[in-house]
Amino acid sequence: MKKALQASLFALLFVTPQKDQVWTANIDQIRQAARMIPGRAPLRINVVKFAESRRTKNFSVKGAPAEPSVQARTAFQVVYADGYVMVDSGMDEQVHRFFGRGVVEPYDPEAAKQVERAVRGARAILVTHEHGDHVAGVIHTSFASELAPKTILTRDQVQTLETNPQMPEIKLTPERAGRYNVIDYDKYLPFGPGIVLIKAPGHTTGSQMIYVVLASGREYLLIGDTAWHMDGVRNVKGKDAPWIQEDEKPLMAQLTWLNGLYTTEKNLFIIASHDDEERVDLIKRGVLGNKLE
């Protein structure tokens, strides 16, 4: 894991640029990329929910009924024998209040502390995209100077955080951005043994999915906010939330690709960050651990 970033940058030579093309991905190429960096594969993935928003389902999935629905705020931990990588970094209660838009929503201080401890102990920290509930834990925190050297942000994520952040609390100046590990890649980026980053602009310009294959062979695809609920993947339906702006063309291509994987790849678990029903089900089935180590 120590040389993962260096090896990942070298691997950029072997990907095909995707600029000015319709978004596409190939699971076989992703699996090959996951084997490029030598080392022991990860053992398990844990998740914790530290907050939630209460919104009707029609906002998460276009055309869905306006029935009660919970959007979980989550962070993930990819555990190796000798350490772990965090995927997303949580947020403090001040940032959480932004998402309530004047409504007080549940926030679990103990779970948030669990995320804080986990990011501080991580070998590396990845973020699926540059929204506050995913990235604030490495920016709007008293530990930012400690966390920055092991946080990996993409060039697109940094550009948004500098020029058009979702909220003032996560704005980066060029000087502050320089403390983070900033990378750029065209399509896939092998990050460590069993981990591949997949460029997936649409929900935001800096969105990426993260593929993980365990030593057991079980596969995961952490899709961030490509869909807020897995019904978006199952039905190939985008969101219908007026407060967000997305690039619909690549996003629908991503949902179509994910739907194909969901239908055919029974050993691959596609995980939407905010789907609380899926989170509960996968914990119950032993696919995800329910606490951070």
Side-chain angles (χ1 to χ4, degrees), residues 41-84:
L43 303 174
R44 57 191 170 274
I45 298 183
N46 300 319
V47 63
V48 70
K49 180 177 80 168
F50 56 87
E52 62 183 50
S53 290
R54 308 281 179 83
R55 293 169 180 165
T56 53
K57 194 173 181 180
N58 55 298
F59 289 118
S60 296
V61 183
K62 191 171 185 178
E67 60 188 21
S69 181
V70 171
Q71 281 193 323
R73 307 290 178 182
T74 56
F76 297 85
Q77 181 184 51
V78 182
V79 181
Y80 289 81
D82 61 345
Y84 60 85

Side-chain angles (χ1 to χ4, degrees), residues 169-244:
E169 290 87 348
I170 60 172
K171 182 177 177 60
L172 287 179
T173 63
E175 180 182 8
R176 290 185 67 199
R179 300 186 299 180
Y180 296 83
N181 296 290
V182 182
I183 62 172
D184 199 6
Y185 66 99
D186 287 311
K187 193 167 185 178
Y188 313 129
L189 180 62
F191 177 75
I195 297 182
V196 180
L197 311 185
I198 305 163
K199 195 166 193 177
H203 177 65
T204 67
T205 57
S207 288
Q208 58 185 353
M209 303 183 205
I210 299 174
Y211 170 87
V212 180
V213 58
L214 303 184
S216 67
R218 179 181 282 171
E219 300 172 284
Y220 298 78
L221 196 55
L222 307 179
I223 66 170
D225 284 15
T226 303
W228 280 346
H229 191 282
M230 278 299 293
D231 279 357
V233 172
R234 286 186 279 261
N235 302 321
V236 194
K237 294 287 187 179
K239 309 173 192 71
D240 197 14
W243 59 85
I244 61 168

Side-chain angles (χ1 to χ4, degrees), residues 30-285:
I30 293 166
R31 286 169 172 151
Q32 182 181 4
R35 298 191 296 268
M36 289 181 69
I37 297 178
R40 299 168 67 182
L43 303 174
R44 57 191 170 274
I45 298 183
N46 300 319
V47 63
V48 70
K49 180 177 80 168
F50 56 87
E52 62 183 50
S53 290
R54 308 281 179 83
R55 293 169 180 165
T56 53
K57 194 173 181 180
N58 55 298
F59 289 118
S60 296
V61 183
K62 191 171 185 178
E67 60 188 21
S69 181
V70 171
Q71 281 193 323
R73 307 290 178 182
T74 56
F76 297 85
Q77 181 184 51
V78 182
V79 181
Y80 289 81
D82 61 345
Y84 60 85
V85 172
M86 288 296 295
V87 177
D88 292 333
S89 64
M91 61 179 169
D92 60 31
E93 196 163 5
Q94 179 181 341
V95 173
H96 170 65
R97 286 195 292 269
F98 169 88
F99 295 98
R101 293 173 173 79
V103 176
V104 177
E105 295 185 317
Y107 183 83
D108 185 340
E110 289 303 314
K113 280 292 184 183
Q114 192 180 145
V115 178
E116 182 182 273
R117 288 192 296 268
V119 294
R120 294 187 70 190
R123 292 284 189 89
I125 305 159
L126 303 167
V127 295
T128 55
H129 63 287
E130 62 273 28
H131 280 165
D133 51 331
H134 299 261
V135 76
V138 294
I139 298 175
H140 194 250
T141 169
S142 59
F143 302 109
S145 59
E146 171 190 331
L147 300 176
K150 58 183 178 180
T151 298
I152 291 83
L153 300 175
T154 71
R155 180 67 60 190
D156 289 329
Q157 290 170 354
V158 168
Q159 184 173 5
T160 299
L161 292 167
E162 288 182 349
T163 62
N164 188 31
Q166 186 184 36
M167 60 197 68
E169 290 87 348
I170 60 172
K171 182 177 177 60
L172 287 179
T173 63
E175 180 182 8
R176 290 185 67 199
R179 300 186 299 180
Y180 296 83
N181 296 290
V182 182
I183 62 172
D184 199 6
Y185 66 99
D186 287 311
K187 193 167 185 178
Y188 313 129
L189 180 62
F191 177 75
I195 297 182
V196 180
L197 311 185
I198 305 163
K199 195 166 193 177
H203 177 65
T204 67
T205 57
S207 288
Q208 58 185 353
M209 303 183 205
I210 299 174
Y211 170 87
V212 180
V213 58
L214 303 184
S216 67
R218 179 181 282 171
E219 300 172 284
Y220 298 78
L221 196 55
L222 307 179
I223 66 170
D225 284 15
T226 303
W228 280 346
H229 191 282
M230 278 299 293
D231 279 357
V233 172
R234 286 186 279 261
N235 302 321
V236 194
K237 294 287 187 179
K239 309 173 192 71
D240 197 14
W243 59 85
I244 61 168
Q245 293 183 336
E246 299 180 312
D247 190 339
E248 186 174 1
K249 187 174 181 180
L251 198 61
M252 293 308 296
Q254 290 157 24
L255 291 174
T256 300
W257 179 69
L258 290 169
N259 176 268
L261 295 178
Y262 179 80
T263 303
T264 61
E265 299 288 342
K266 300 308 178 183
N267 188 51
L268 173 64
F269 294 89
I270 300 168
I271 300 177
S273 292
H274 296 310
D275 189 334
D276 199 48
E277 296 168 14
E278 181 189 37
R279 180 189 65 86
V280 171
D281 176 62
L282 294 183
I283 289 172
K284 186 180 297 184
R285 293 164 59 189

